[in-house]
Amino acid sequence: MAYLGAAYLWVKAAHVIFVIFLMAGLFMMPRFFVYHQETVPGSPEDKRWIEREGRLLKIILNPSLILVWVFGLMLMVEIGAWHFGWFHLKLLFVLGLSGYHGWIASYTKKLARGERPLGDRQLRMLNEIPGVAAAVIVIAVIVKPF
């Protein structure tokens, strides 16, 4: 506990809290997409889905992602994580989830424009990404296999 001192556990708790918020949003949004795609572009229901997705992105997903990174980087520096193999695996999957977040933001914009590039099955498959990534990250951090 080099620089955080007594705040270390508070930072760690905040990191976990915002990871939970982020993961909830990453699980919800593709499900929203499945329902949204069934609507007629420009319809009142389409507009409601656009509003819901925008709120989820702006109120939950974007702030959570930023805070996960801020608190995570603080923890990384505090414990010198860069020297651990398990951390490299975690970082790889966190970068992947950050990219997935970016894909979600871009798909939200496509749906708002009336585009429907993916089918329901594809969206349901993509919905598995955060679960797999979370499992790998938790195993890396808790078990520290290397």
Side-chain angles (χ1 to χ4, degrees), residues 73-94:
L73 290 172
M74 291 171 71
L75 294 169
M76 178 196 82
V77 170
E78 179 72 16
I79 68 169
W82 190 252
H83 302 289
F84 304 121
W86 62 265
F87 176 75
H88 294 119
L89 179 63
K90 175 187 177 178
L91 182 59
L92 177 67
F93 277 82
V94 169

Side-chain angles (χ1 to χ4, degrees), residues 16-92:
V16 172
I17 289 165
F18 286 103
V19 165
I20 291 168
F21 293 166
L22 176 64
M23 295 306 294
L26 292 178
F27 282 121
M28 281 179 66
M29 191 67 93
R31 179 55 49 191
F32 278 15
F33 293 164
V34 169
Y35 299 132
H36 185 174
Q37 289 201 157
E38 296 173 353
T39 66
V40 175
S43 68
E45 187 178 0
D46 179 54
K47 289 179 179 22
R48 283 192 297 273
W49 280 112
I50 291 168
E51 185 178 341
R52 288 176 191 132
E53 291 160 358
R55 283 182 182 167
L56 180 58
L57 195 60
K58 290 177 184 145
I59 296 170
I60 303 293
L61 282 167
N62 291 345
S64 295
L65 182 68
I66 291 165
L67 291 169
V68 163
W69 272 99
V70 167
F71 293 127
L73 290 172
M74 291 171 71
L75 294 169
M76 178 196 82
V77 170
E78 179 72 16
I79 68 169
W82 190 252
H83 302 289
F84 304 121
W86 62 265
F87 176 75
H88 294 119
L89 179 63
K90 175 187 177 178
L91 182 59
L92 177 67

Side-chain angles (χ1 to χ4, degrees), residues 60 122 144:
I60 303 293
Q122 291 169 308
K144 295 180 175 67

Side-chain angles (χ1 to χ4, degrees), residues 121-136:
R121 181 171 166 75
Q122 291 169 308
L123 288 171
R124 285 185 177 91
M125 294 297 290
L126 287 166
N127 200 30
E128 302 304 320
I129 290 172
V132 171
V136 171

